[in-house]
């Protein structure tokens, strides 16, 4: 207790120096926590987007993920309806599951004949109502909703495309897509130089897709059917959705699951390429995966099916999280080094100033360890005060920033998201950072304390 | 309290030097000394005569290059640093020229500190600190920080602190040097009073010949050697103590 009391008083003895060190610790601690909060928000936002779009787990043919882009249909799941029913009815898995839904992925060529353009696309047949139910998943309480999926309630031949697909297929005007510049040779001619009758004819030949009865544009989607023969469906494009990456934006085409099955399987028995399983909670992922494997062994013994989680299906998510973890680690090490040297410098100066005091204490019978304890207690106290105040500062700053309503466009996102810093509730980060800085504070004082304890008593007493 | 008959410190063939740049500077040479128990002993000598070095050796905060130092009946040479620290805490009190009080602790806490290090109970500490502060006339200044006390008052606190664990020996290096003559005389008188009251040996250095009058024993030091010892109050010792003293002095 006397060590604690002495440490507090000695820290207050040189208030300006202690305060400067304290402020350095507060800034360091709060910076780490605020960046940690920002990192967590990115992770949660991305995870939420992936879980809303593809579920926590997907049952796929073992080779679909690596070879499916060549011939997705070859790696499809037969009897998927029975599997879905088994999952929903399972006493273990059923209560964990929020949504189970089939998808059918395939490659194709979309064309807008009226504009004389075509484009290779990746078609994805989904059950639109399920997709909208999956949008409701929000374990991390994000303040934003993902956009309503326009296929629900739309016609059987309706489809949604990426902004890139709409742009390349010349559908921007018809779909009301803004920020969609036209190529130079397609710039509208003002017609000032043309006779009126010629200008009218030119306007009629403008390269836009022909609208159907609804007035919405239509495209033809060509795909290879199950027997290898080409099959074509005409799709009504009801909406264009911006995707986070240009490459994906120029491939994205979603259609009704039944329509996709008709295109790919024709009159053959329809299948799915994946079954999406969205769980109620992240923590259920591993037990659910284990149970799914058991169910697959029971209900689809002849099929080489695998269960992949959203991390395995989205390497970009893992890479992004790892990148932010690495940046966080780098910042932590950087700030920890600054704290190390700041506290170390403060304690070294204190040792120098209190050399005679150290000699006196040692003369009075305080052991070397006792002297070390005094200075390490001071370093630790600085660490505690700075780290705890830093945590409180980070909490206050995060609350203020979160209420400012700032938005940003994160990588891979098609729309702007709130700029949030998740500090409150991130107990592991707060406790880890606080304890880490306390330990660093104590460790910073260790070397000066060791030096103090090893001072020759008579030299220390002679010190001026 | 009975008088301990054993010499409180015995130095035999003690030499000590320091290395200054590349040159060895001898400070003490072949010191043979006995410090009698429960006496007020002054080391007298000019600056550079080796008084402080001798006090450091007797106070067990320094080790001799040669010779043996026995304090309170124990050879301190083989002791480890921790053993020596514990030994000092139990047996030796220090009074410094510059008082050396801990500036962040009150007078009360400064006197209490050695007791805390020794692990005395709170009740025992409170009792002892109260008595000591009263004995040095500072009971009404107990809560004052050293910076709020005069030089004389600080030295009184230092005296109380030195006596906190009832040591066998109190070492005082020029305890009056930083005080005016009147305050110095008061402090000397207080030290003498406390020495008699508690039956503790005081060994202090001074180059002020005025203090000789207050001392039981006076040791004259010059150029690192003892040039003379005057034992004024030897007749007040019990016969066994006189024999012990004479045996050592015969050896010297």
């Amino acid at each position: 207790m006397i060590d604690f009391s002495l440490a507090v008083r000695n820290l207050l003895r040189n208030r300006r120096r202690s305060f400067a060190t304290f402020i350095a610790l507060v800034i360091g601690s709060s910076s780490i926590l605020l960046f940690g909060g920002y990192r967590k928000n990115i992770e949660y936002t991305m995870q939420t987007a992936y879980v809303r779009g593809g579920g926590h787990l997907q049952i796929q043919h073992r080779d679909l993920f690596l070879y499916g882009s060549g011939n997705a249909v070859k790696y499809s799941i037969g009897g998927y309806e029975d599997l879905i029913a088994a999952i929903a009815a399972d006493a273990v898995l059923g209560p964990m599951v929020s949504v189970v839904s089939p998808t059918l992925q395939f490659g194709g060529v979309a064309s807008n004949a009226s504009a004389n353009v075509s484009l290779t696309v990746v078609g994805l047949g989904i059950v639109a109502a399920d997709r909208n139910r999956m949008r409701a998943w929000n374990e991390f309480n994000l303040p934003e909703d993902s956009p309503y999926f326009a296929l629900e309630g739309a016609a059987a031949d309706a489809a949604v495309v990426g902004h890139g697909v709409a742009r390349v297929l010349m559908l921007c005007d018809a779909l009301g897509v803004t920020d969609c510049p036209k190529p130079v040779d397609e710039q509208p001619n003002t017609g000032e130089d043309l006779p009126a009758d010629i200008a009218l004819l030119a306007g009629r030949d403008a390269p836009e897709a022909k609208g159907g009865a609804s007035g919405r544009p239509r495209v033809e989607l060509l795909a290879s059917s199950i027997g290898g023969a080409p099959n074509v469906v005409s799709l009504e494009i009801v909406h264009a959705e911006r995707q986070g990456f240009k490459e994906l934006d120029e491939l994205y085409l979603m259609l009704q699951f039944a329509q996709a099955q008709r295109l790919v399987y024709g009159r053959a028995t329809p299948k799915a390429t994946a079954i999406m399983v969205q769980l109620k909670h992240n923590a259920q992922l591993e037990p659910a995966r284990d149970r799914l494997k058991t169910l697959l062994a029971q209900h689809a013994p002849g099929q080489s099916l695998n269960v992949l989680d959203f991390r395995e299906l989205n390497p970009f998510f893992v890479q992004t999280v790892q990148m932010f973890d690495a940046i966080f680690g780098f910042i932590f090490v950087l700030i920890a080094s600054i704290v190390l040297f700041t506290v170390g410098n403060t304690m070294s100066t204190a040792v120098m100033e209190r050399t005679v005091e150290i000699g006196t204490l040692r003369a009075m019978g305080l052991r070397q360890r006792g002297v070390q304890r005094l200075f390490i207690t001071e370093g630790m106290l600085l660490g505690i005060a700075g780290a705890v105040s830093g945590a409180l500062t980070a909490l206050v700053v995060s609350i203020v920033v979160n209420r400012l309503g700032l938005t940003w466009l994160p990588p891979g996102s098609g729309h702007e998201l709130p700029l949030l810093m998740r500090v409150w509730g991130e107990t592991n980060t707060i406790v880890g950072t606080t304890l880490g800085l306390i330990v660093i504070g104590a460790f910073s004082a260790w070397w000066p304390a060791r030096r103090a304890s090893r001072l020759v008593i008579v030299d220390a007493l002679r010190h001026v | 309290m009975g008088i301990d008959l054993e010499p409180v410190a015995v130095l035999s063939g003690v030499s000590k030097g320091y290395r200054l740049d590349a040159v060895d500077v001898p400070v003490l040479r072949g010191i043979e000394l006995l410090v009698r128990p429960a006496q007020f002993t002054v080391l007298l000598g000019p600056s550079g005569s080796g008084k402080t070095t001798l006090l450091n050796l007797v106070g067990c905060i320094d080790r001799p290059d040669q010779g043996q130092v026995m304090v309170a009946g124990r050879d301190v040479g083989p002791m480890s640093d921790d053993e020596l620290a514990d030994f000092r805490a139990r047996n030796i009190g220090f009074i410094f020229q510059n008082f050396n009080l801990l500036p962040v602790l009150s007078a009360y806490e400064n006197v209490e500190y050695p007791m805390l290090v020794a692990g005395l109970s709170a009740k025992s500490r409170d009792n002892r600190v109260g008595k000591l502060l009263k004995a040095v006339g500072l009971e009404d200044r107990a809560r004052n920080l050293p910076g709020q006390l005069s030089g004389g008052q600080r030295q009184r606190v230092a005296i109380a602190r030195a006596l906190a664990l009832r040591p066998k020996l109190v070492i005082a290096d020029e305890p009056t040097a930083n005080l005016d003559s009147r305050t110095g005389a008061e402090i000397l008188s207080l030290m003498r009073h406390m020495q008699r009251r508690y039956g503790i040996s005081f060994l202090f250095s001074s180059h002020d010949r005025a203090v000789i009058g207050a001392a039981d024993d006076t040791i004259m030091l010059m150029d690192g050697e003892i040039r003379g010892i005057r034992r004024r109050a030897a007749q007040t010792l019990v016969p066994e103590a006189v024999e012990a003293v004479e045996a050592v002095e015969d050896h010297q």
Side-chain angles (χ1 to χ4, degrees):
Chain A
M1 194 58 197
I2 185 69
D3 287 345
F4 179 79
S5 172
L6 257 181
V8 171
R9 295 184 201 190
N10 278 320
L11 287 173
L12 294 175
R13 192 163 155 189
N14 196 326
R15 286 165 203 260
R16 185 181 296 181
R17 188 174 61 218
S18 298
F19 184 70
T21 312
F22 167 77
I23 289 296
L25 275 157
V26 169
I27 293 172
S29 167
S30 54
S31 303
I32 291 171
L33 288 174
L34 287 171
F35 183 77
Y38 173 68
R39 173 192 67 148
K40 273 292 168 193
N41 184 56
I42 288 173
E43 180 182 339
Y44 292 161
T45 304
M46 288 182 76
Q47 187 180 335
T48 300
Y50 287 123
V51 169
R52 283 175 177 174
H56 286 94
L57 295 164
Q58 283 196 17
I59 301 165
Q60 295 183 350
H61 187 281
R62 195 191 65 186
D63 296 324
L64 178 81
F65 187 59
L66 295 177
Y67 297 99
S69 55
N71 185 0
V73 175
K74 182 180 173 186
Y75 305 109
S76 53
I77 306 168
Y80 69 92
E81 287 156 314
D82 295 340
L83 268 177
I84 289 173
I87 291 166
D90 187 69
V92 178
L93 204 50
M96 298 185 198
V97 170
S98 172
V99 179
V100 191
S101 185
T103 62
L104 177 59
Q105 184 184 319
F106 57 94
V109 176
S111 63
N112 177 4
S114 60
N116 213 14
V117 288
S118 63
L119 173 70
T120 303
V121 294
V122 172
L124 186 64
I126 51 109
V127 179
D130 290 346
R131 172 84 177 206
N132 271 327
R133 279 169 57 213
M134 287 171 77
R135 284 176 57 245
W137 190 85
N138 196 8
E139 180 153 330
F140 302 118
N141 298 315
L142 298 181
E144 81 281 1
D145 292 325
S146 42
Y148 181 78
F149 191 54
L151 275 190
E152 186 174 4
D157 62 348
V160 172
V161 294
H163 274 198
V165 173
R167 185 181 67 248
V168 175
L169 295 181
M170 303 291 180
L171 306 175
C172 289
D173 290 346
L175 292 171
V177 177
T178 55
D179 189 22
C180 184
K182 294 190 173 178
V184 175
D185 59 346
E186 297 295 344
Q187 294 291 341
N189 194 322
T190 56
E192 286 176 3
D193 301 333
L194 296 174
D197 53 343
I198 301 298
L200 183 66
L201 283 171
R204 283 180 184 168
D205 287 342
E208 276 294 343
K210 287 176 183 168
S214 64
R216 292 197 180 104
R218 298 194 73 86
V219 297
E220 284 71 44
L221 178 62
L222 170 72
S224 171
S225 67
I226 190 162
N231 198 2
V232 178
V233 290
S234 175
L235 298 173
E236 181 186 59
I237 309 301
V238 295
H239 184 60
E241 254 182 21
R242 183 188 297 280
Q243 304 301 304
F245 303 101
K246 179 174 182 288
E247 293 79 3
L248 179 63
D249 210 29
E250 292 177 357
L251 286 173
Y252 179 85
L253 188 149
M254 275 204 180
L255 62 163
Q256 307 281 19
F257 182 65
Q259 177 75 322
Q261 284 184 320
R262 272 194 294 277
L263 174 65
V264 174
Y265 295 100
R267 291 181 182 174
T269 307
K271 296 181 180 179
T273 49
I275 298 171
M276 300 187 293
V277 179
Q278 189 185 62
L279 304 169
K280 287 173 181 159
H281 304 290
N282 280 328
Q284 296 165 327
L285 197 143
E286 288 311 320
R289 188 205 299 265
D290 293 342
R291 185 59 189 161
L292 269 176
K293 285 180 176 173
T294 308
L295 285 181
L296 291 180
Q298 289 171 1
H299 295 273
Q303 299 190 71
S304 299
L305 299 182
N306 198 7
V307 181
L308 300 173
D309 66 33
F310 66 92
R311 290 186 185 87
E312 293 165 306
L313 292 165
N314 302 287
F316 177 73
F317 168 70
V318 178
Q319 289 163 356
T320 306
V321 169
Q322 284 173 347
M323 183 186 76
F324 275 98
D325 284 349
I327 295 172
F328 180 79
F330 177 74
I331 288 175
F332 187 91
V333 169
L334 199 69
I335 288 176
S337 306
I338 293 169
V339 167
L340 192 80
F341 285 105
T342 308
V343 176
N345 186 46
T346 299
M347 299 317 299
S348 291
T349 313
V351 167
M352 203 174 67
E353 284 175 359
R354 281 153 53 193
T355 300
V356 176
E357 237 176 275
I358 294 162
T360 306
L361 291 170
R362 294 278 290 124
M364 287 196 306
L366 190 66
R367 288 181 172 195
Q368 287 189 339
R369 273 199 303 278
V371 173
Q372 277 191 34
R373 206 169 47 235
L374 276 177
F375 285 94
I376 288 174
T377 306
E378 282 181 39
M380 197 182 283
L381 271 177
L382 267 176
I384 291 171
V388 170
S389 304
L392 293 173
T393 306
L395 280 170
V396 171
V397 172
S398 67
I399 289 168
V400 171
V401 170
N402 293 348
R403 288 190 176 177
L404 286 176
L406 303 174
T407 59
W408 72 303
L409 189 66
S413 174
H415 57 281
E416 289 205 333
L417 296 172
L419 176 64
L420 299 175
M421 289 174 172
R422 280 179 173 264
V423 179
W424 179 254
E426 293 304 318
T427 315
N428 288 345
T429 311
I430 293 174
V431 171
T433 303
T434 306
L435 285 181
L437 288 179
I438 291 169
V439 170
I440 289 165
F443 182 72
S444 314
W446 175 78
W447 180 252
R450 185 174 178 272
R451 200 157 47 82
S453 72
R454 293 188 170 202
L455 285 172
V456 176
I457 301 173
V458 291
D459 291 345
L461 288 170
R462 269 202 299 263
H463 184 83
V464 269
Chain B
M1 180 185 289
I3 297 173
D4 192 346
L5 302 179
E6 215 176 295
V8 74
V10 179
L11 277 68
S12 309
V14 167
S15 295
K16 178 73 181 175
Y18 293 107
R19 196 166 180 82
L20 195 62
D21 296 326
V23 183
D24 287 323
V25 181
V27 180
L28 292 175
R29 283 179 286 224
I31 298 292
E32 302 286 342
L33 176 65
L34 179 145
V35 181
R36 296 190 300 165
Q39 297 295 302
F40 204 57
T41 305
V42 60
L43 278 174
L44 207 61
S47 293
S49 59
K51 299 188 299 291
T52 299
T53 304
L54 187 55
L55 286 178
N56 290 344
L57 292 173
V58 178
C60 303
I61 55 175
D62 203 356
R63 293 178 189 268
D65 296 336
Q66 284 179 357
Q68 186 187 47
V69 177
M70 300 222 6
V71 179
R74 288 195 60 188
D75 182 3
V76 298
M79 288 187 190
S80 70
D81 195 85
D82 281 351
E83 285 171 339
L84 214 49
D86 295 345
F87 182 80
R88 285 195 301 271
R90 284 194 307 273
N91 296 291
I92 304 169
F94 286 90
I95 300 168
F96 300 95
Q97 180 180 338
N98 292 320
F99 327 126
N100 291 19
L101 298 177
L102 298 180
V104 295
L105 299 183
S106 67
Y108 181 98
E109 290 165 330
N110 263 290
V111 179
E112 187 189 27
Y113 190 81
M115 302 179 200
L116 279 163
V117 173
L120 265 62
S121 69
K123 190 179 172 187
S124 175
R125 292 199 307 265
D126 191 54
N127 186 31
R128 277 201 196 186
V129 175
K131 282 181 181 171
L132 282 165
L133 284 177
K134 191 175 178 188
V136 297
L138 286 177
E139 65 267 44
D140 57 338
R141 295 287 198 152
R143 298 295 159 198
N144 284 69
L145 292 172
Q148 297 164 324
L149 300 173
S150 68
Q153 287 171 330
R154 288 183 213 182
Q155 200 61 301
R156 284 166 185 268
V157 176
I159 291 167
R161 182 179 67 179
L163 298 173
L165 290 173
R166 310 249 172 92
K168 289 190 168 60
L169 173 67
V170 170
I171 302 285
D173 189 7
E174 309 259 10
T176 58
N178 276 0
L179 302 171
D180 61 68
S181 57
R182 189 180 155 197
T183 312
E186 282 174 12
I187 290 298
L188 204 62
S189 167
L190 176 66
M191 283 166 56
R192 187 64 165 134
H193 170 71
M194 300 297 274
Q195 181 267 320
R196 282 184 176 145
R197 178 172 174 175
Y198 291 102
I200 293 168
S201 299
F202 269 63
L203 175 63
F204 66 101
S205 68
S206 177
H207 51 250
D208 180 2
R209 287 188 170 272
V211 303
I212 300 171
D216 295 322
D217 292 350
T218 306
I219 299 161
M220 262 80 72
L221 208 59
M222 184 82 77
D223 298 330
E225 292 175 348
I226 293 176
R227 295 290 171 87
I229 300 176
R230 194 181 70 181
R231 299 197 186 279
R232 194 169 65 175
Q235 66 276 17
T236 63
L237 296 178
V238 292
E240 292 87 344
V242 173
E243 281 172 21
V245 170
E246 284 172 352
V248 174
E249 286 179 346
D250 286 347
H251 175 71
Q252 289 173 341

